[in-house]
Amino acid sequence: MEIVRIDSLATAFIRPFEGVNAGLIHTPKGMILIDTTSSPAEIKTLFEAVDANPEEVRLVINTHFHSDHTWGNQVFTCPILAHRSCLELMQSSLKNEWSPEALQSYLSDQEKTDPKKADDFRRMLLDLNITLPKQVFEERFEGELGGLSYEVIHLGGHTPDLCVVWLPDHRVLFASDLIFQGRYPFIFDADIPVWIARLSHLMEFDAVAIIPGHGVMCTEAEITALRDYLQETWDLTHAHIRQGHSPDATTADPAYPRFAEQKYERLHQANIRYMYNQIIG
Ligand SMILES: [Zn+2]
């Protein structure tokens, strides 16, 4: 993990190898936390790393409903803010893929492939009390804490509820999972054309610091790389479908864009398949 201090105001927890990033904004009246990672233990570790007290957090923002951004929520007693559809998606996940039965079957599968990981996950579940955001908004939330202005802006794309957090006076942008830096993105709840459009929109912020949801601090070149990956994969998949190719024949095409790093290589074919199914509807 790399702890990046931005402007003495914000701390970015950059964790390209451990998983998801998170952000902490310091104000004279307490802290704002952006995303709570995958578990209570994980988010507590981040606070220990910067010698900060979770009880001094005045506001938690969930940028979207994915478990790696929301499952540490229970550690905080302050309000948890999110887009209305984040709350709704968490509620429906609790009845489906986060239900005790679904988590149990996920565990059983994992025991067969990676018993050590399954063991860690089982222990984590014993502690876990999935906690929903209580304060919701539509489109945009503008707030102030200790003289610091912040905006939570609904953009969608990666997920229907995705929001970015913008500090207008400091030009710092927490872009959440609109940006996966240097690796294949996780796209299985995404609207691809919306995502592509939102990546172009991110450039207009003219930010001095951009913190992605996954990967290291990034530049506009890396936003462009992700946008090109999504656009080229989308267009090529369209072309295969027009020619009547099957999903297997489509994913076998070596012309698809690749990321140089081998990390998350398993998502290469899965992403093409997801787009194929989206296009054929
Ligand atoms: Zn996500």
Side-chain angles (χ1 to χ4, degrees):
M1 175 168 74
E2 189 190 356
I3 294 165
V4 180
R5 308 264 184 197
I6 304 157
D7 205 358
S8 77
L9 160 102
T11 301
F13 300 99
I14 302 295
R15 309 160 73 229
F17 302 105
E18 300 92 336
V20 69
N21 296 335
L24 198 56
I25 304 166
H26 312 268
T27 87
K29 291 211 170 146
M31 293 175 282
I32 300 171
L33 174 65
I34 301 165
D35 286 336
T36 62
T37 75
S38 315
S39 73
E42 195 176 329
I43 190 67
K44 282 181 192 162
T45 307
L46 301 195
F47 274 75
E48 280 160 20
V50 293
D51 204 17
N53 182 352
E55 283 172 22
E56 287 166 19
V57 175
R58 294 288 164 265
L59 179 72
V60 168
I61 299 168
N62 286 154
T63 60
H64 63 296
F65 77 103
H66 281 162
S67 60
D68 57 340
H69 297 255
T70 57
W71 277 14
N73 280 1
Q74 73 193 66
V75 169
F76 303 92
T77 50
C78 63
I80 300 174
L81 175 73
H83 190 262
R84 177 178 301 281
S85 56
C86 176
L87 171 63
E88 292 164 358
L89 285 161
M90 286 181 77
Q91 285 167 328
S92 74
S93 298
L94 279 169
K95 292 188 197 124
N96 298 294
E97 64 269 29
W98 297 350
S99 69
E101 302 74 36
L103 292 174
Q104 196 50 54
S105 106
Y106 174 77
L107 255 178
S108 313
D109 288 347
Q110 207 174 34
E111 267 157 11
K112 289 174 207 137
T113 55
D114 193 340
K116 161 83 178 79
K117 233 174 161 179
D119 227 40
D120 292 346
F121 191 65
R122 184 184 304 99
R123 255 197 300 277
M124 191 278 286
L125 286 180
L126 289 174
D127 260 356
L128 183 68
N129 173 19
I130 295 172
T131 302
L132 300 175
K134 300 253 165 15
Q135 192 181 347
V136 296
F137 64 94
E138 313 278 348
E139 298 320 316
R140 182 186 278 257
F141 182 94
E142 293 182 12
E144 182 272 334
L145 182 69
L148 176 100
S149 300
Y150 61 93
E151 297 173 15
V152 191
I153 306 164
H154 178 227
L155 293 179
H158 167 72
T159 53
D161 58 333
L162 187 128
C163 292
V164 299
V165 180
W166 173 235
L167 308 181
D169 300 332
H170 300 262
R171 312 204 71 73
V172 173
L173 180 68
F174 290 89
S176 185
D177 286 5
L178 273 184
I179 308 179
F180 286 71
Q181 175 274 334
R183 52 159 279 195
Y184 295 95
F186 179 93
I187 69 169
F188 307 115
D189 294 306
D191 181 321
I192 303 297
V194 170
W195 194 343
I196 292 166
R198 296 307 187 235
L199 286 169
S200 298
H201 178 65
L202 288 190
M203 315 275 197
E204 293 162 18
F205 281 84
D206 196 23
V208 296
I210 303 170
I211 299 98
H214 298 268
V216 301
M217 302 279 291
C218 59
T219 61
E220 290 197 351
E222 282 157 314
I223 301 178
T224 306
L226 178 60
R227 188 184 60 189
D228 291 350
Y229 163 82
L230 291 172
Q231 186 74 64
E232 286 166 26
T233 307
W234 185 251
D235 291 346
L236 192 51
T237 306
H238 261 287
H240 278 288
I241 290 169
R242 274 197 302 274
Q243 291 163 56
H245 295 162
S246 69
D248 284 346
T250 301
T251 54
D253 183 351
Y256 274 104
R258 314 286 291 227
F259 282 89
E261 278 194 49
Q262 295 301 301
K263 251 174 96 186
Y264 301 98
E265 178 73 16
R266 65 190 158 82
L267 292 177
H268 173 68
Q269 290 208 353
N271 285 353
I272 300 168
R273 245 169 234 281
Y274 175 81
M275 290 197 198
Y276 189 101
N277 291 328
Q278 289 288 295
I279 293 166
I280 61 171

